Amino acid sequence: MSVLLLSISVFMQASAAGKGRPLTIGTLEYPPYHYMSTEGNVNGITISLVNHVFITMQQPVTIRIMPWSRILKSLKNGSLDGAFQVLYKEERTAYLDYSQEVLMQEVVTLFIRQGQKINYSGDLSSLANYRLGVRQDFSYGPVFDGLVTEGVLTRLTSKTKPRDLILLLERGGIDVLVGDLFSIPYQHRKISVEFALHSIERIQPDVQVTPSFMVFSKVRKLTKVRDQFDKILRKMKKEGRYQAYIDKWDRQKMENN
């Protein structure tokens, strides 16, 4: 199957006085954090945050929206300079320089079709007999990932796109969809515009709240860029500008519900 490159877009052009060569940054199609708008523009809450940091740095970058597996391979061989909203995994530190500042907290939760009966009270091992839908090559945090590694959770169906997982849940192909608190409802609403879907509901407690990061390929030797990125992001948080981006998105979400 050919790899789909959704978009290559000039993300930000710095002035001629910019600090260094243009960087190529990868991310996946992951609305509402980062996605292509109907007008063909890269959009999303994390896009706004990252854009602001690189503009402040006067660092020109180009963003590519790519499949997740391709992003990881490209970071390993250095054909990408960096990527964002990446979860921490120890084995990835062999080829990635992680930022020290958290870029975005991701809430991993569980979704079922409304009215389904699922026996779950917080012990993930109790889901061992259910069919779980997960995203291919994705980390859902150390708790969930650990149970998969230990062979406790084995009935997994993986897809590259959340849309496919939502449709599997709708058609009864999986019992539980493991996904992001904001992303899955957002995409469910988008699909519901095309055709009728059953409502979905979140079952709690959540799987885990996991920090995600900006990362840079070690092949490209960009530790100074990473450190500057961290410094500016830290300042945004201290001054309240970081939270302003989150709050703005929350208001838009409420208006679109």
Side-chain angles (χ1 to χ4, degrees):
M1 183 177 68
S2 60
V3 177
L4 176 63
L5 188 64
L6 292 179
S7 167
I8 300 179
S9 173
V10 175
F11 189 61
M12 184 276 294
Q13 292 292 345
S15 68
K19 300 179 180 179
R21 64 174 178 82
L23 302 180
T24 303
I25 306 296
T27 193
L28 72 163
E29 182 82 357
Y30 192 24
Y33 299 103
H34 21 94
Y35 60 94
M36 293 294 296
S37 69
T38 54
E39 294 80 20
N41 300 316
V42 181
N43 205 349
I45 178 60
T46 318
I47 293 287
S48 296
L49 289 169
V50 172
N51 187 34
H52 182 89
V53 173
F54 279 118
I55 287 174
T56 304
M57 291 169 60
Q58 294 187 324
Q59 173 60 61
V61 295
T62 298
I63 189 169
R64 294 186 179 186
I65 295 184
M66 305 161 63
W68 184 241
S69 298
R70 169 61 76 88
I71 289 173
L72 292 179
K73 291 178 182 177
S74 299
L75 288 168
K76 284 181 181 179
N77 64 32
S79 57
L80 274 181
D81 292 297
F84 57 87
Q85 207 143 345
V86 178
L87 302 190
Y88 180 86
K89 297 189 80 171
E90 183 67 29
E91 59 267 30
R92 291 177 182 168
T93 60
Y95 60 93
L96 294 180
D97 282 321
Y98 276 83
S99 286
Q100 300 303 305
E101 282 294 315
V102 173
L103 180 63
M104 185 69 64
Q105 294 284 3
E106 295 188 18
V107 180
V108 177
T109 193
L110 305 171
F111 297 93
I112 60 174
R113 272 177 49 175
Q114 193 170 54
Q116 275 185 292
K117 301 298 180 182
I118 297 292
N119 181 28
Y120 175 69
S121 59
D123 179 7
L124 285 170
S125 63
S126 67
L127 299 176
N129 292 324
Y130 293 104
R131 298 166 300 167
L132 308 179
V134 298
R135 195 158 184 182
Q136 183 176 312
D137 294 326
F138 226 60
S139 169
Y140 290 105
V143 176
F144 186 92
D145 293 353
L147 290 174
V148 173
T149 301
E150 294 165 12
V152 176
L153 300 177
T154 59
R155 302 187 67 189
L156 305 179
T157 298
S158 61
K159 297 290 184 182
T160 58
K161 297 179 181 179
R163 175 188 176 91
D164 294 333
L165 293 173
I166 292 169
L167 292 176
L168 272 175
L169 184 66
E170 170 68 20
R171 296 163 183 165
I174 56 175
D175 303 307
V176 181
L177 195 167
V178 187
D180 180 78
L181 174 62
F182 297 131
S183 180
I184 297 303
Y186 175 90
Q187 300 217 34
H188 187 274
R189 288 195 299 271
K190 298 281 285 186
I191 299 171
S192 296
V193 174
E194 302 174 39
F195 45 83
L197 295 176
H198 288 87
S199 296
I200 58 174
E201 60 182 270
R202 169 190 180 191
I203 56 175
Q204 292 181 284
D206 297 318
V207 175
Q208 191 150 341
V209 178
T210 309
S212 66
F213 301 88
M214 183 80 200
V215 299
F216 296 91
S217 171
K218 284 189 173 180
V219 174
R220 308 302 293 179
K221 302 184 185 304
L222 293 166
T223 53
K224 289 184 179 180
V225 174
R226 179 204 62 187
D227 292 345
Q228 189 178 12
F229 187 97
D230 277 353
K231 181 179 179 181
I232 294 170
L233 183 59
R234 191 179 303 116
K235 185 178 180 182
M236 286 179 65
K237 291 178 180 180
K238 184 178 180 180
E239 294 175 348
R241 287 179 291 153
Y242 176 93
Q243 191 59 45
Y245 280 108
I246 307 298
D247 294 343
K248 179 181 178 181
W249 181 80
D250 278 342
R251 289 193 298 271
Q252 291 173 341
K253 178 172 69 72
M254 293 297 292
E255 292 169 359
N256 293 331
N257 280 345

